[in-house]
């Protein structure tokens, strides 16, 4: 009995050698790591299915207050669900169309710059040979700099976007069912709140953090898009508004999103005015986005969602590796969901939240 009592004793200081079952703490850590490896491997295997489902979940959670408000205002459940589905579909189609249009317009512009690409390749070849590189290696290095290669790369990117759109029926179907359930889900949470208050609190924290993150990202995305469009217009880069829209979309990718949005205008700057104009685009873009997206926005996002800048960056790397490109968009919401389900639901693990918290710990 004494040994059993010791096995079930509390360890408030965290300095014991086992848990309630009497297992060594080192063994528990190893078992936890093994379970995490198996879980991550499973996520990677089913990434093609999980990524659209998780994207649909994020969109539904973000727009769900609309359906809840309509239901509480006395609107029929079917009308609230229809309004929610229509709103989510509209936003999704608008963002997808803007991204596809950006790539398509860049592909359409490429034939105008055949002479510039030829001159650029010749100049790069001469520069390499002047540096002592033999002609064969210089030709291999400058081979991709030609109209056909650049156009093929852009066409492949556009084809990838179209292929993603062709598989979007699964995403739309998942969105439909999630939006239908989202109208009545708050009532279900209230019913189980008395039995599982920590779980319900964690889910509500995830939903609130996701909405705050997307709200902050949207506001800063609009600011960045307007400034970038004005900069490109002042530099006389073609289609400045379109690239501003692209920078708005890529703002949802933390830390590295502006690099993705920088590529098309920088390429056009190189073709329009050579290296000096491209350098001007890169420098001005980097200055604007460094100040806003790397200094101001991470602080506000961290305060809004409760994740430190380091945690945010590592989340981006991890979820992109696990789920692919969509993982970059979903990195912060998925980290909030993981934190809610693995940390916030258990009082014994809430100390982990203090370690990954943005700013000074709360007292």
């Amino acid at each position: 009995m004494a040994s059993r009592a010791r096995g079930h004793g509390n360890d408030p200081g965290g300095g014991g050698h086992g848990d309630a079952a009497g297992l060594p703490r080192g063994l528990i850590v190893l078992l936890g790591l093994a379970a995490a490896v198996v879980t991550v491997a499973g996520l990677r295997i089913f990434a093609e299915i999980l990524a659209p489902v998780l994207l649909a979940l994020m969109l539904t959670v973000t727009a769900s207050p609309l359906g809840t408000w309509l239901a509480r205002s006395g609107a029929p459940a079917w009308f609230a669900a229809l309004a929610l589905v229509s709103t989510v579909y509209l936003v999704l189609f608008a963002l997808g169309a803007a991204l596809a249009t950006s790539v398509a317009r860049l592909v359409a512009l490429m034939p105008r710059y055949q002479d510039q690409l030829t001159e650029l390749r010749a100049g790069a070849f001469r520069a390499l040979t002047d540096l002592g590189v033999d002609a064969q290696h210089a030709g291999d290095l400058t081979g991709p700099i030609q109209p056909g290669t650049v156009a093929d790369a852009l066409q492949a990117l556009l084809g990838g976007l179209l292929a993603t759109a062709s598989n979007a029926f699964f995403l739309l179907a998942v969105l439909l069912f999630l939006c239908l359930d989202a109208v009545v889900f708050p009532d279900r949470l209230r019913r189980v709140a008395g039995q599982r208050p920590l779980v319900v609190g964690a889910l509500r924290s995830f939903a609130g953090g996701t909405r705050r993150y997307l709200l902050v990202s949207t506001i800063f995305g609009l600011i960045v898009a307007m400034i970038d469009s004005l900069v490109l217009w002042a530099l006389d880069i073609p289609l400045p508004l379109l690239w501003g829209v692209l920078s708005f979309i890529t703002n949802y990718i933390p830390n590295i999103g502006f690099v993705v949005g920088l590529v098309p205008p920088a390429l056009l700057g190189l073709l329009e005015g050579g290296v000096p104009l491209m350098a001007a685009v890169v420098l001005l873009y980097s200055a604007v986005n460094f100040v806003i997206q790397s200094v101001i926005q991470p602080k506000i996002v961290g305060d809004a969602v409760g994740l430190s800048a380091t945690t945010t960056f590592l989340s981006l790397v991890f979820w992109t590796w696990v789920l692919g490109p969509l993982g970059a968009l979903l990195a912060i919401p998925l980290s909030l969901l993981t934190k809610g389900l693995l940390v916030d639901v258990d009082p014994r693990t809430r100390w982990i939240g203090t370690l990954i918290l943005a700013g000074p710990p709360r007292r």
Side-chain angles (χ1 to χ4, degrees):
M1 293 294 293
S3 62
R4 184 176 179 181
R6 284 194 300 269
H8 287 272
N10 293 327
D11 187 17
H17 298 286
D19 71 339
L23 295 176
R25 178 142 318 163
L27 179 59
I28 295 173
V29 173
L30 290 177
L31 291 175
L33 291 175
V37 170
V38 173
T39 302
V40 172
L43 291 175
R44 291 201 68 185
I45 291 173
F46 296 102
E48 292 186 1
I49 297 176
L50 286 176
V53 172
L54 293 171
L55 176 60
L57 176 63
M58 185 188 72
L59 293 174
T60 304
V61 166
T62 304
S64 60
L66 173 62
T68 304
W69 176 77
L70 289 174
R72 290 178 178 176
S73 300
W78 65 267
F79 179 79
L82 178 62
L84 183 59
V85 171
S86 301
T87 301
V88 174
Y89 278 10
L90 180 62
V91 171
L92 190 62
F93 283 132
L95 294 178
L99 187 59
T101 301
S102 300
V103 179
R105 293 297 297 271
L106 188 57
V107 172
L109 283 174
M110 282 300 102
R112 291 173 44 185
Y113 300 107
Q114 293 186 6
D115 295 337
Q116 291 90 331
L117 285 171
T118 302
E119 294 177 2
L120 180 63
R121 181 187 180 188
F125 182 85
R126 288 193 300 269
L128 290 174
T129 54
D130 292 341
L131 292 174
V133 180
D134 62 84
Q136 182 178 356
H137 287 109
D140 294 336
L141 292 173
T142 58
I145 308 176
Q146 53 184 330
T149 304
V150 176
D152 290 342
L154 294 174
Q155 297 250 3
L157 178 59
L158 181 60
L161 292 175
L162 294 177
T164 302
S166 66
N167 296 326
F169 292 105
F170 175 66
L171 172 62
L172 298 178
V174 175
L175 272 173
L176 174 62
F177 293 115
L178 284 176
C179 289
L180 292 177
D181 287 337
V183 176
V184 297
F185 195 72
D187 293 332
R188 298 177 183 176
L189 284 180
R190 281 192 293 269
R191 292 179 184 178
V192 302
Q195 300 174 349
R196 293 290 186 271
L198 295 178
V199 175
V200 173
L203 292 176
R204 287 174 175 169
S205 176
F206 154 69
T210 298
R211 295 187 192 109
R212 289 192 297 271
Y213 163 70
L214 291 177
L215 176 62
V216 171
S217 297
T218 300
I219 293 174
F220 277 97
L222 290 173
I223 296 173
V224 169
M226 288 188 293
I227 296 177
D228 287 346
S229 297
L230 291 175
V231 167
L232 295 177
W233 174 77
L235 295 175
D236 201 22
I237 300 297
L239 308 174
L241 291 178
L242 192 61
W243 310 131
V245 172
L246 180 61
S247 66
F248 169 76
I249 296 174
T250 56
N251 186 68
Y252 290 104
I253 304 176
N255 301 108
I256 63 170
F258 87 93
V259 177
V260 180
L262 170 63
V263 172
L267 177 60
L268 289 177
L270 177 64
L271 297 177
E272 284 281 344
V275 175
L277 184 56
M278 181 188 72
V281 172
V282 172
L283 289 176
L284 291 176
Y285 245 70
S286 300
V288 170
N289 288 277
F290 176 78
V291 172
I292 295 179
Q293 291 183 313
S294 299
V295 178
I296 302 176
Q297 185 174 343
K299 175 69 170 86
I300 297 179
V301 169
D303 293 340
V305 304
L307 295 177
S308 65
T310 302
T311 305
T312 300
F313 177 74
L314 294 178
S315 298
L316 171 68
V317 175
F318 175 77
W319 290 113
T320 303
W321 175 70
V322 173
L323 298 178
L326 277 181
L329 291 173
L330 301 171
I332 301 301
L334 289 181
S335 297
L336 292 175
L337 180 60
T338 303
K339 175 177 175 289
L341 295 179
L342 299 182
V343 177
D344 296 341
V345 296
D346 191 346
R348 294 173 298 179
T349 58
R350 288 184 177 175
W351 60 270
I352 301 176
T354 303
L355 298 179
I356 62 176
L357 187 69
R362 299 184 181 94
R363 296 185 182 274

